[in-house]
Amino acid sequence: MELLLASAVGLMTACGVYLILRRRTFPVILGLSLVTYAVNVFLFATGRLAVGAPPVLNKYAEVAYTDPLPQALVLTAIVISFGMTAVVVMIALGAFLSSRSDNINMVEAADGAGDDA
Amino acid sequence: MSLFLIAALPFLGAVFPALLIRAGRNAASAAAGFTTLLAFTGLLLHAPAVLRGEVIQASVEWLPGLGLNANFFLDGLGFLFAGLILGIGLLIILYARFYLTREDPMGQFYTYLLLFQGAMVGIVLSDNILMLLVFWELTSLSSFLLIGYWKHLPEGRQGALMALAVTGSGGLAMIGGMLILGNIAGSYDLTDILQQKEAIQASPLYLPALILILLGAFTKSAQFPFHFWLPHAMAAPTPASAYLHSATMVKAGLFLMARMWPVLAGTPEWFYIVTTTGLVTMVLGAVIALFKDDLKALLAFSTVSHLGLITMLLGFGTKIAAVAAVFHIINHATFKAALFMSAGIVDHEAHTRDIKRLGGLRHLMPITFTIAVVASLSMAGIPPLNGFLSKEMMLEEAFHTTWLGSHLVIPVLAVVAAIFSAAYSFRYIGHVFLGSKRDDYPTTPHDPPTGLWLAPGFLVVLVVLIGLNSNGVAGPLVSAAANAVIGDELPYYSLKLWHGITPALYMSAVAVIGGLLFFSQHKLLEAVWNALPRPEAKVIFEALINGLARMARSVTDGLHNGSITRYGAIMVLFTTIMGYYAFRTGTLGAPVHDIQAAGPLPIIGWFCLMVATVAVVLKHRNRLLALVLIGVVGLIVSLSFNYLSAPDLALTQISVEVVTIVLMLLALNFMPKETPVETPLPARLRDMGIAAVAGLGSAGLIYALLTRDFVAPSISEFHLANSYKGGGGTNVVNVILVDFRGFDTFGEIIVLGIAALVIYALTEAILGSKVRAYLLNRKPDLPQAGDAHPMMMVVATRVIMPLALLVAAFIFFRGHNEPGGGFIAGLIAAIAVIMQYMASGFGWAAERQRFYYHGIIGCGVLIAAATGMGAWFNGLPFLTSAFGYIQWGPLEEFEWATAALFDVGVFLAVVGAVMLALESLARFAWQPGNDPEHAMDINPARDDADAEVKQEA
């Protein structure tokens, strides 16, 4: 299962980074979302993987619990990343509406200088 | 009065002139004057103690770990300077009230002046060198504002920039020097450093520290070759010039040299660097001053020359020279401030400062003439004025000093400087005031109102009094200040006019006679001077600055070329390389965890996730499809959270997913629906390479982490053990959020609220621009559905609304013990409301909106804050929670925790933020006339009313 998770994190990161390196705002936002998933899962997984051991205390029996701390951190991270995505979307939209172009690079740079990145 | 208060008063007072200027110029200047007077009185109250030789201290520990403490101390030297700063400040405030015209923003001037005054007082009272550095930089900044006060004049702006560049860079050098010094001494407190002369002078770092500190002092005090900024700073209004360049700013460098004198002086390095610089500056300044036609430029170069004189005296390193330096600081401040103010009066009345256009003013401005004559003669070193006394002491010391084995260099050059000094002083009198009256002044000058000549008049009285009775008027001050500089027994000296026939007397006589001669031959000398080639400092400075700017620009443009793609690539690669480096150089334990076997369910989920992720990339050019696919990814991520024992995360992820997709759909509505192919295949392959490296890195890292144990014990056990006992809840994740780490959560809802407000502000800005017209007239670029608000959907969402809110309430209340809580409940409630917007239209929903979302965010944050503060009333720290259980009626035992109240705050903030963000985006879509006429409001009376209208028609 660790392999599955690691490969999923890796693939989401790779695809996210690839999209972030595109030239238009929308794919970049999609890429950011993918990277956000990857990072959240990554952080969550630092508490190690456990099945059927939610960190909800059982008053009647001694059971195993998974690590609650990364979960609490990731929970707020998810909400904050929504806020961040919303701001980025708004900036992208504003830029597109004002300039009628959704290219993320400056005009001079878009002529080729940016391609050497 | 506490030293803290004395240092703080100018800063506090700086607020008032800016505010009171609406009440008139008198109110503003009175406020500034009153503050200064208060601080000055506070200082004078310490006078008896300081003059007895006591040192007054005040200290507060601030960051003791860094050696940064707010320590102030007042000894003779500090008292002298603080007295000059506040006393002359008071006179300048009076003078400026009458000098500035109605068009000048006077409130600003006084505010800048007081800021500057506060920074200067801070320098001279600081006991901690780090604090001194802060004040030092503050004087650079506030003098920048003062010099550039007349913003409309290009010279003002250029002069201000030049002063800031020169003194600012010197300040940077000084920071380095002071840090070295503090390091050698093992303390950043001046009182400690001043005790360690031997250790400091023996250190191999003495010379670098000395050079760096002197760079700071020399730039500030306009010593050669940094002297050129001072004349350009004359573009400031005259009150500012008089203040900065006679008594304060340029004296800061001298103050520092005097302050550090006990530990830095006395070595050959000190002698040769400081004495030579001072000597060159003194001669150069005096020579140039003679050939300046602008009154203020003449005074500026004479200031440069006198600063050089004092620097040279400090450089001699002998005790008696230090006494002379202190005495000349007092004398120079008095006559130079008076001279600047008299030049200002001439400029104010005659509307020109050009000596060539002046002359004969004696007849028109007798009072100004008297003031200027006394002050000039003092500057020229004519007995019985105070300038004579200290200049003679200087000549006496110069006579006894050898330089590189020569007995002649210093005395001869000192006499040369004195000759030129006398000559330009005579010129100031002769070419401006003497001679016959002219009839071609720009305006006919006359003596100014009393307010304008009172301040220089007072200073001139001091000039005479100190001259006649130096021991009585200035003696105690000089001995207290000199004592503080020397830090030891004072040498024998006497401040008196007649020392007998000494070499200095001959030198003085030569200087005065030579000065008269040079003055009488000024025309001839000027012709020679103008024929000589001279480097223009401003041109050199500008070439230097432009060169630096070009270099900076080429570096910046090379790296920062406007291609965000490039920045992203560099960042990803750099992070990966850093990670790889850490991996190669660190140690990695052997894997200890066995890999858990995966059942069919995880494998199916993994497979879907991989396919969906790859599909997002493959299909990203079709934006709508990519959005659907990313929804699939989010869904599987939330299912995985659920499977991997994180129900709270699963709930949060899935509700955030809904909101995010709605948000992106709204945005996509206005954007192109396709992404064109832009990059050539090699570029895409390269990007794939970068992406693959990043992916492999993160996968490898998390895999390595998952198969190993924690290096140090985790703090999670504490949370598990105390969640119920200490927090009263069994859902540990929720208890962490609202209790253990409540402060983090508090910060996070604030951030979320700010993000929403940013979105709102952006929307306002965009809708306020030309874009609005485009939006209003926009034609949809895709075929539209027949019915924008289908009845089925409207009915369904109306029915679901109360149910959804009930679910939100349920999720909220169970949150403390079961998966749920404020975050998730807030998201669910927001989704319930968003559905109404989607189904029934923005206009319909907006009409029914009772509370502004801004207010809801604010309420949420305030409730959370109030809950946290509630703990204070029980004497507990912020956000300490309390809980208890109540049994009510037939219901199950019910827990009531203050944490739940905090969670209400979280709930409200989340609802408000999400709604504000989405509502803002939705406002883009609003167009007049696209609201449904009746958005499914069942109102039987309406049809009747319509019918009536028709009938009447």
Side-chain angles (χ1 to χ4, degrees), chain B residues 703-722:
Chain B
Y703 185 72
L705 208 66
L706 283 175
T707 49
R708 282 161 185 85
D709 254 332
F710 293 116
V711 179
S714 145
I715 55 169
S716 302
E717 286 308 316
F718 169 84
H719 294 119
L720 283 169
N722 288 288

Side-chain angles (χ1 to χ4, degrees), chain A residues 1 22 37 50 67 105 117, chain B residues 564 596 645 657 686-687 716:
Chain A
M1 202 150 58
R22 297 305 88 210
Y37 291 135
D67 194 338
N105 294 333
Chain B
I564 297 180
Q596 303 176 41
S645 319
E657 206 51 48
R686 187 195 51 214
D687 292 347
S716 302

Side-chain angles (χ1 to χ4, degrees), chain B residues 659-834:
Chain B
V659 191
T660 312
I661 298 292
V662 171
L663 178 97
M664 295 226 222
L665 274 172
L666 275 171
L668 188 57
N669 187 23
F670 304 96
M671 298 177 81
K673 308 294 180 283
E674 305 277 330
T675 307
V677 181
E678 277 179 309
T679 41
L681 189 61
R684 270 181 280 161
L685 284 175
R686 187 195 51 214
D687 292 347
M688 279 178 210
I690 296 173
V693 168
L696 283 175
S698 61
L701 183 58
I702 192 62
Y703 185 72
L705 208 66
L706 283 175
T707 49
R708 282 161 185 85
D709 254 332
F710 293 116
V711 179
S714 145
I715 55 169
S716 302
E717 286 308 316
F718 169 84
H719 294 119
L720 283 169
N722 288 288
S723 172
Y724 188 70
K725 269 193 294 181
T730 52
N731 180 4
V732 186
V733 173
N734 184 269
V735 175
I736 292 177
L737 283 175
V738 298
D739 193 335
F740 292 131
R741 312 289 307 166
F743 205 60
D744 289 357
T745 310
F746 183 57
E748 267 148 330
I749 59 172
I750 292 176
V751 170
L752 195 64
I754 292 174
L757 291 177
V758 166
I759 291 170
Y760 175 77
L762 279 169
T763 307
E764 286 289 302
I766 294 168
L767 290 183
S769 69
K770 282 181 289 189
V771 171
R772 184 166 178 78
Y774 163 79
L775 283 173
L776 288 177
N777 300 311
R778 198 173 67 94
K779 296 278 173 291
D781 50 358
L782 288 178
Q784 301 286 293
D787 191 352
H789 307 287
M791 180 192 283
M792 293 287 279
M793 193 170 160
V794 174
V795 172
T797 52
R798 303 269 168 91
V799 174
I800 289 175
M801 173 95 170
L803 289 176
L805 290 179
L806 197 66
V807 171
F810 171 68
I811 290 276
F812 177 82
F813 281 113
R814 78 201 282 259
H816 217 44
N817 292 317
E818 295 290 324
F823 273 114
I824 302 163
L827 288 164
I828 294 174
I831 292 170
V833 183
I834 292 165

Side-chain angles (χ1 to χ4, degrees), chain A residues 1-10 12 36-50 66-75 78, chain B residues 593 596 637 640-641 644-646 649 698-710 716:
Chain A
M1 202 150 58
E2 280 79 1
L3 259 176
L4 295 185
L5 186 124
S7 57
V9 167
M12 285 193 288
T36 306
Y37 291 135
V39 170
N40 285 343
V41 173
F42 186 106
L43 287 178
F44 162 72
T46 57
R48 308 299 186 265
L49 306 184
T66 185
D67 194 338
L69 203 57
Q71 294 196 14
L73 296 180
V74 171
L75 198 153
I78 294 172
Chain B
H593 278 296
Q596 303 176 41
V637 166
S640 331
F641 282 144
L644 292 170
S645 319
L649 286 191
S698 61
L701 183 58
I702 192 62
Y703 185 72
L705 208 66
L706 283 175
T707 49
R708 282 161 185 85
D709 254 332
F710 293 116
S716 302

Side-chain angles (χ1 to χ4, degrees), chain B residues 27-38:
Chain B
S29 51
F34 182 71
T35 323
T36 311
L37 186 66
L38 206 61

Side-chain angles (χ1 to χ4, degrees), chain A residues 31-103:
Chain A
L32 273 177
S33 300
L34 277 180
V35 171
T36 306
Y37 291 135
V39 170
N40 285 343
V41 173
F42 186 106
L43 287 178
F44 162 72
T46 57
R48 308 299 186 265
L49 306 184
V51 180
V56 177
L57 300 181
N58 190 329
K59 288 187 217 173
Y60 311 106
E62 279 289 311
V63 290
Y65 303 114
T66 185
D67 194 338
L69 203 57
Q71 294 196 14
L73 296 180
V74 171
L75 198 153
T76 49
I78 294 172
V79 181
I80 292 282
S81 60
F82 162 73
M84 182 203 72
T85 309
V87 171
V88 172
V89 164
M90 183 55 84
I91 292 172
L93 183 59
F96 172 70
L97 289 175
S98 343
S99 68
R100 299 292 141 71
S101 156
D102 60 349
N103 200 315

Side-chain angles (χ1 to χ4, degrees), chain B residues 41 105 172 197 252 254 320 480 484 525 557 592 713 795 798 892 923:
Chain B
T41 315
L172 288 180
K197 179 176 178 173
L254 301 180
I320 187 94
L525 290 172
D557 288 352
V592 292
V795 172
R798 303 269 168 91
E892 214 185 323
R923 283 169 58 201

Side-chain angles (χ1 to χ4, degrees), chain B residues 166-487:
Chain B
V166 176
T167 59
S169 44
L172 288 180
M174 203 175 82
I175 290 178
M178 288 293 200
L179 291 179
I180 297 178
L181 194 68
N183 225 349
I184 300 174
S187 163
Y188 289 104
D189 282 342
L190 267 173
T191 25
D192 294 339
I193 293 173
L194 293 183
Q195 306 297 324
Q196 308 204 28
K197 179 176 178 173
E198 287 76 21
I200 289 169
Q201 297 196 348
S203 163
L205 288 173
Y206 166 73
L207 190 62
L210 177 72
I211 292 175
L212 288 172
I213 291 175
L214 286 179
L215 269 177
F218 287 171
T219 47
K220 202 76 155 184
S221 282
Q223 295 299 297
F224 179 83
F226 310 110
H227 62 287
F228 56 90
W229 70 263
L230 200 147
H232 288 286
M234 288 299 136
T238 303
S241 305
Y243 196 40
L244 263 59
H245 306 315
S246 68
T248 51
M249 166 99 157
V250 295
K251 294 275 169 72
L254 301 180
F255 168 80
L256 195 82
M257 283 189 269
R259 184 47 97 210
M260 293 295 172
W261 196 88
V263 286
L264 295 182
T267 60
E269 294 95 327
W270 167 276
F271 174 79
Y272 283 107
I273 298 176
V274 180
T275 306
T276 314
T277 308
L279 189 66
V280 172
T281 312
M282 177 172 75
V283 176
L284 200 72
V287 173
I288 299 176
L290 182 58
F291 302 105
K292 285 290 165 188
D293 285 333
D294 179 0
L295 279 184
K296 276 175 79 178
L298 185 155
L299 291 178
F301 277 104
S302 92
T303 304
V304 169
S305 169
H306 281 267
L307 293 169
L309 187 161
I310 300 169
T311 304
M312 182 183 77
L313 281 173
L314 289 169
F316 285 169
T318 59
K319 291 176 180 177
I320 187 94
V323 177
V326 167
F327 192 34
H328 197 66
I329 286 173
I330 301 176
N331 296 338
H332 179 250
T334 49
F335 68 69
K336 191 51 67 65
L339 279 172
F340 267 117
M341 291 194 228
S342 72
I345 292 174
V346 170
D347 188 19
H348 196 259
E349 299 301 322
H351 287 107
T352 180
R353 302 196 306 247
D354 189 348
I355 296 180
K356 293 247 154 55
R357 303 192 59 185
L358 294 165
L361 294 184
R362 170 171 61 106
H363 308 287
L364 298 162
M365 320 172 72
I367 301 175
T368 317
F369 168 65
T370 317
I371 292 169
V373 164
V374 176
S376 299
L377 290 180
S378 177
M379 177 159 79
I382 306 291
L385 302 167
N386 63 359
F388 167 74
L389 294 169
S390 46
K391 188 167 275 189
E392 220 191 23
M393 285 170 86
M394 180 276 282
L395 291 171
E396 179 75 33
E397 286 313 296
F399 183 75
H400 296 298
T401 309
T402 49
W403 189 83
L404 282 181
S406 159
H407 292 279
L408 277 178
V409 176
I410 290 181
V412 167
L413 285 176
V415 171
V416 169
I419 291 173
F420 276 95
S421 177
Y424 65 67
S425 305
F426 295 144
R427 182 160 186 246
Y428 187 85
I429 303 170
H431 286 179
V432 178
F433 293 98
L434 300 183
S436 53
K437 203 159 83 178
R438 297 167 66 147
D439 46 16
D440 59 346
Y441 306 115
T443 52
T444 311
H446 47 79
D447 263 326
T450 320
L452 216 46
W453 62 256
L454 203 60
F458 176 77
L459 287 170
V460 162
V461 170
L462 276 184
V463 165
V464 178
L465 285 181
I466 297 177
L468 292 176
N469 183 9
S470 46
N471 263 328
V473 180
L477 192 58
V478 172
S479 74
N483 206 356
V485 174
I486 295 165

